[in-house]
């Protein structure tokens, strides 16, 4: 038995699951798969954009006053999964377009070039598609897929939220 603590969620988990599938399909031995997925995980990342902080405030992850002020000012929080698996705020932006631009900048800063990208949205397909086109404008060879957030991710991402899992340019190939 091998347990991989991803310290992540949603689209980054999908990248890891797809890689595991590919490693099994090519017939690697169990121990080799364990080593390979750990090596791959070092080169996957998660970034997110939240339109609302209400559910995070309800669960004690954000102060309610901060969530209320962010809502009133139209502030979107851009964050990532930290190395410890916590929500790490990278910046705050005003409006959706600024948030999408910042996500692309964060992906570039973490080494995305032509890797795989999974964009999940919570009732915001238009923004997810716009982000896909923005990613392709900067990284034409990137393999970008758009999907929807699952149940738990939808709860935290809330209406309008985006979660993006991607691999950097040092991600090992199968």
């Amino acid at each position: 038995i091998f347990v991989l603590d991803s310290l992540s969620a949603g689209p980054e988990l999908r990248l890891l699951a797809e890689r595991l599938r590919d490693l099994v399909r090519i017939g690697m031995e169990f121990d080799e798969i364990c080593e390979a997925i750990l090596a791959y995980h070092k080169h996957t990342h998660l970034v997110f954009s939240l339109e609302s902080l209400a559910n995070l405030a309800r669960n004690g992850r954000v102060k309610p006053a901060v969530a209320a002020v962010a809502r009133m000012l139209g502030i979107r929080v851009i964050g990532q999964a930290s190395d410890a698996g916590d929500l790490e705020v990278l910046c705050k932006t005003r409006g959706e377009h600024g948030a999408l631009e910042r996500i692309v900048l964060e992906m570039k800063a973490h080494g995305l070039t032509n890797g795989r990208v999974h964009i999940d949205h919570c009732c915001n397909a238009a923004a997810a598609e716009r982000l896909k086109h923005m990613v392709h404008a900067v990284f034409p060879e990137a393999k970008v897929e758009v999907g929807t957030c699952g149940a738990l991710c939808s709860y935290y991402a809330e209406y309008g939220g985006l979660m993006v899992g991607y691999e950097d340019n040092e991600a090992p190939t199968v």
Side-chain angles (χ1 to χ4, degrees):
I1 295 175
F2 174 74
V3 177
L4 173 65
D5 187 352
S6 69
L7 300 172
S8 191
E12 186 178 6
L13 291 180
R14 190 160 49 261
L15 287 171
L16 294 168
E18 290 170 353
R19 179 54 57 106
L20 282 169
R21 176 201 61 207
D22 295 344
L23 296 172
V24 169
R25 282 184 178 167
I26 64 171
M28 286 181 84
E29 295 294 320
F30 180 80
D31 291 336
E32 293 174 314
I33 291 173
C34 296
E35 288 178 33
I37 199 64
L38 287 171
Y40 178 69
H41 185 238
K42 291 177 184 174
H43 300 286
T44 61
H45 310 277
L46 177 73
V47 64
F48 54 85
S49 168
L50 303 178
E51 187 174 316
S52 171
L53 303 175
N55 284 340
L56 291 174
R58 283 188 204 104
N59 287 303
R61 292 179 178 244
V62 174
K63 293 180 181 175
V66 171
V69 169
R71 180 180 45 80
M72 288 187 314
L73 297 176
I75 293 174
R76 287 179 172 261
V77 172
I78 307 300
Q80 67 183 4
S82 74
D83 291 339
D86 297 322
L87 301 174
E88 181 180 317
V89 175
L90 297 171
C91 69
K92 301 166 192 93
T93 63
R94 300 270 321 253
E96 187 170 83
H97 185 74
L100 298 179
E101 285 181 338
R102 186 58 189 240
I103 288 173
V104 174
L105 289 173
E106 289 298 326
M107 293 167 73
K108 186 174 185 176
H110 280 98
L112 174 67
T113 52
N114 61 355
R116 295 184 309 147
V117 178
H118 288 309
I119 303 169
D120 285 356
H121 66 88
C122 183
C123 302
N124 201 354
E129 286 296 327
R130 265 198 320 282
L131 180 57
K132 177 181 178 177
H133 293 297
M134 291 170 80
V135 168
H136 274 143
V138 177
F139 312 105
E141 301 299 316
K143 296 147 200 79
V144 184
E145 293 182 20
V146 173
T148 57
C149 289
L152 187 59
C153 287
S154 290
Y155 176 76
Y156 285 109
E158 294 194 63
Y159 187 88
L162 298 173
M163 297 179 72
V164 183
Y166 61 98
E167 56 186 25
D168 63 35
N169 61 352
E170 295 181 26
T173 57
V174 177

